[in-house]
Amino acid sequence: MNTLSVWRGIAPSPGFAMLSADISTDVLIIGGGITGVTLAWLLARQGRQVTLLEAHEIGSGTTGNSTGNLYETLSHGLHDVSSRWGKDVARQVVAERRAALQFIQEQAQDAPGAAFRRCPLVLYALADKQQSLVDQEFEALSAAGCAVQRGPVPAALPAAAGPAVILADQAQFQPQAYLVHLAQEAARAGARIHEHSRVLDINARTRIVDTATGAVNAREIVMATHTPKGIRLVHAEMPVYREYAVALPFVDGARDPGPGIFWAKGEEGLSMRTLEQPDGRRFLICVGQEHPPGAHNAKAALMAVEAAAQRHFGDAEPAYRWSAQHYKGADGLPYIGRDASGCLVATGFATDGLTWGTVAARLLAEEVADRSPPFAALCKPTRLSPIKGARTILEEATVTARSLVKDYLTHRQEEKLSSLAPGDSAVVDSEGESCAAWRSPQGELFAVSSVCTHMGCKVHWNSVETSWDCPCHGSRFRPDGTVIEGPALRPLARRHPRSLEP
Ligand SMILES: Cc1cc2nc3c(=O)[nH]c(=O)nc-3n(C[C@H](O)[C@H](O)[C@H](O)COP(=O)(O)OP(=O)(O)OC[C@H]3O[C@@H](n4cnc5c(N)ncnc54)[C@H](O)[C@@H]3O)c2cc1C
Ligand code: FES
């Protein structure tokens, strides 16, 4: 299945060259999403020597697969931060995010196709039991000084159980078009940007980073990789979730909710918005079905979003289908700053990272210049808040432990891989080793170790994106073992079992 997002389908990558020599730089940024590209732009404009390495293409991580909404609140609720950290911190969160939103608006003005527009955010409940969450959010937003009111939900949307919370003056854009523009501006300001330059090893002590085509020696290393690479304490604190998205083309008579960020909370909860293209094409975008990666049926989740979207907005065939994952901080705040290894990291953004990533880039630019703004102290990656994050840390540790034990006990016994049909996958015991195999529709068999190279959990098949996904901390691999995303640096080992023989 083609899983290119509507954003990446419309705005192709800028085509920066691969790294092709050993180089030295002052600041090395790993990762070309909104965090890395914004930081590269800020540092280059300050006259710093900065290099950015991107494993695939600019925006191919989560940024180019998001929903493109920008807001000063949080998708899991400002009331959550308010109850864990207090009203003053909730106010600081809103102020930082509002400033980041303004920053994006300024940069987006000159970005072709960025389609930035101010709009309201509408939060509402699909069933009575979620209404109290909506009411709580109204209180938290009011206390934080946000321009919030209660009101009805547009008639085009799935019906509400009660009054909605309407937050004025939020925004939405085309995240990939914005990112491509900012990367080109960063390069114009002097940043060296290399695509298809995957970092394979990071030596935080010697400050040397290796790729297959060159090494980089840097004074400062920034991991803007969504989740940091290698084994880090924050991985034990951050649950990972995948979500599914479709973009339906507008057809005559389809219901049109107009500009806005629409969050319907409930069992069939969806995040909904529209996209208008300069060429007149219009799309309705629906995102939902949050599940831990590698621990659910990806096809069923995608079909559920598609069915819900078609039920509400007409049964047009989706023009785009895609999926992406996010990492949630244990105590409701992201992790931004220097970690125990001495590298700078930015992670734990949940589904709010277009704005958090911009906040992070602004904070990290200060940190590179040896300054420490007050908000940076709240986001330190080395903080551990056993009280504020206790439940999340315990849940995450349980998922990891359960995955390790269950998978080692239950995977299938020896089976002839030669009998695997085209399109089928299996995790089997072969010659004493666990092997993850998939036969392509063209008949080619790919066999790799099923043991995740991050910390040894077993990978599971993702039938939508034809990948092996790890339930523990979200590493994902192609059928040939290459890393797609997550904390793993090394590929899954190739296997050549005898059971391949007919
Ligand atoms: C379904 C979904 C919808 C979302 N919608 C929204 C939204 O509407 N609004 C919002 O604010 N947030 C949203 N988010 C969250 C937001 O998209 C992310 O938090 C944000 O894009 C993260 O940006 P980033 O730059 O930190 O990471 P990414 O965009 O993931 O970029 C990291 C980059 O690092 C690269 N990389 C990784 N490893 C290496 C390596 N070894 N070498 C070189 N490069 C490497 C990757 O290829 C990738 O391009 C959504 C998230 C999901 C899952
Ligand atoms: S064990 Fe951590 S991602 Fe697989």
Side-chain angles (χ1 to χ4, degrees):
M1 182 184 295
N2 183 347
T3 52
L4 194 68
S5 71
V6 65
W7 320 114
R8 296 186 63 221
I10 289 170
S13 98
F16 292 108
M18 187 188 281
L19 180 71
S20 59
D22 294 352
I23 59 164
S24 289
T25 189
D26 183 32
V27 182
L28 171 66
I29 300 169
I30 310 171
I34 198 160
T35 308
V37 169
T38 309
L39 181 59
W41 184 86
L42 287 167
L43 295 179
R45 299 262 301 196
Q46 288 170 11
R48 282 189 188 272
Q49 189 189 35
V50 55
T51 302
L52 184 152
L53 299 181
E54 165 53 47
H56 307 285
E57 293 175 349
I58 295 294
S60 59
T62 319
T63 302
N65 291 292
S66 62
T67 321
N69 291 323
L70 304 164
Y71 39 86
E72 58 201 33
T73 182
L74 300 170
S75 52
H76 56 273
L78 194 67
H79 68 268
D80 181 50
V81 164
S82 194
S83 63
R84 288 178 201 253
W85 292 90
K87 286 183 180 159
D88 190 43
V89 169
R91 266 192 294 273
Q92 289 180 55
V93 164
V94 167
E96 288 292 327
R97 290 177 59 84
R98 192 178 286 164
L101 217 155
Q102 185 60 35
F103 171 93
I104 293 173
Q105 177 165 8
E106 282 155 23
Q107 312 321 315
Q109 272 165 10
D110 303 323
F116 183 97
R117 66 182 178 195
R118 288 281 174 177
C119 63
L121 184 156
V122 179
L123 166 73
Y124 71 100
L126 289 171
D128 289 341
K129 63 180 176 194
Q130 284 94 32
Q131 188 60 38
S132 61
L133 282 175
V134 174
D135 296 338
Q136 260 180 323
E137 199 50 12
F138 180 79
E139 300 304 329
L141 289 166
S142 305
C146 298
V148 68
Q149 57 184 30
R150 293 181 198 268
V153 167
L157 295 174
V165 166
I166 303 173
L167 184 57
D169 211 22
Q170 306 305 295
Q172 50 198 186
F173 69 162
Q174 207 293 28
Q176 181 70 6
Y178 172 81
L179 200 63
V180 166
H181 169 77
L182 209 58
Q184 285 164 334
E185 287 299 305
R188 257 193 281 281
R192 293 180 65 155
I193 301 186
H194 298 285
E195 292 180 297
H196 303 290
S197 302
R198 168 177 298 286
V199 168
L200 301 170
D201 190 48
I202 302 167
N203 190 327
R205 196 177 48 78
T206 60
R207 305 265 137 188
I208 293 179
V209 156
D210 290 321
T211 75
T213 49
V216 182
N217 182 212
R219 180 184 66 84
E220 192 75 90
I221 299 173
V222 184
M223 285 198 240
T225 45
H226 200 200
T227 187
K229 295 283 161 182
I231 297 173
R232 324 239 147 209
L233 198 57
V234 287
H235 294 138
E237 301 181 29
M238 291 191 302
V240 195
Y241 300 99
R242 266 195 105 64
E243 287 194 37
Y244 295 83
V246 295
L248 304 180
F250 260 102
V251 289
D252 283 347
R255 296 188 198 172
D256 182 357
I261 301 168
F262 303 111
W263 289 345
K265 298 285 179 187
E267 258 165 46
E268 275 210 346
L270 286 177
S271 166
M272 297 161 280
R273 63 162 287 186
T274 58
L275 169 69
E276 282 78 33
Q277 278 299 104
D279 63 7
R281 282 185 302 160
R282 300 185 70 218
F283 298 97
L284 212 143
I285 295 161
C286 295
V287 182
Q289 290 284 322
E290 184 181 87
H291 298 283
H296 67 283
N297 181 334
K299 203 163 263 173
L302 178 64
M303 291 306 126
V305 172
E306 189 168 323
Q310 289 175 330
R311 204 163 38 250
H312 299 304
F313 301 106
D315 56 5
E317 174 73 8
Y320 297 90
R321 299 177 173 93
W322 71 98
S323 158
Q325 69 195 31
H326 63 90
Y327 301 82
K328 199 167 158 196
D331 55 17
L333 291 180
Y335 305 93
I336 303 166
R338 203 170 298 283
D339 78 355
S341 75
C343 293
L344 294 170
V345 303
T347 190
F349 297 159
T351 48
D352 309 313
L354 298 174
T355 304
W356 274 140
T358 307
V359 170
R362 285 153 59 94
L363 292 178
L364 293 177
E366 293 291 300
E367 193 130 355
V368 167
D370 278 336
R371 290 188 292 266
S372 189
F375 194 67
L378 277 171
C379 301
K380 274 187 178 169
T382 45
R383 76 179 186 269
L384 190 63
S385 309
I387 307 279
K388 296 188 181 80
R391 207 180 51 213
T392 318
I393 293 170
L394 192 64
E395 279 166 11
E396 180 52 14
T398 311
V399 168
T400 306
R402 204 189 301 130
S403 297
L404 278 165
V405 174
K406 176 175 144 272
D407 288 341
Y408 277 94
L409 290 178
T410 62
H411 65 258
R412 284 151 67 177
Q413 295 305 301
E414 181 100 25
E415 173 176 301
K416 271 231 177 298
L417 291 179
S418 55
S419 61
L420 209 59
D424 273 1
S425 66
V427 176
V428 296
D429 264 347
S430 187
E431 296 148 32
E433 286 180 326
S434 178
C435 179
W438 174 69
R439 193 180 292 284
S440 74
Q442 293 73 33
E444 190 180 356
L445 190 89
F446 294 86
V448 291
S449 164
S450 68
V451 179
C452 175
T453 57
H454 180 231
M455 286 173 74
C457 291
K458 288 284 172 76
V459 295
H460 292 245
W461 185 242
N462 171 339
S463 57
V464 168
E465 291 160 287
T466 52
S467 60
W468 292 105
D469 297 358
C470 180
C472 288
H473 315 102
S475 289
R476 298 181 55 242
F477 305 85
R478 290 192 216 291
D480 68 359
T482 318
V483 178
I484 300 172
E485 65 179 314
L489 277 163
R490 285 176 295 117
L492 297 175
R494 293 299 287 262
R495 291 273 184 257
H496 306 282
R498 268 200 306 278
S499 52
L500 283 180
E501 294 156 15

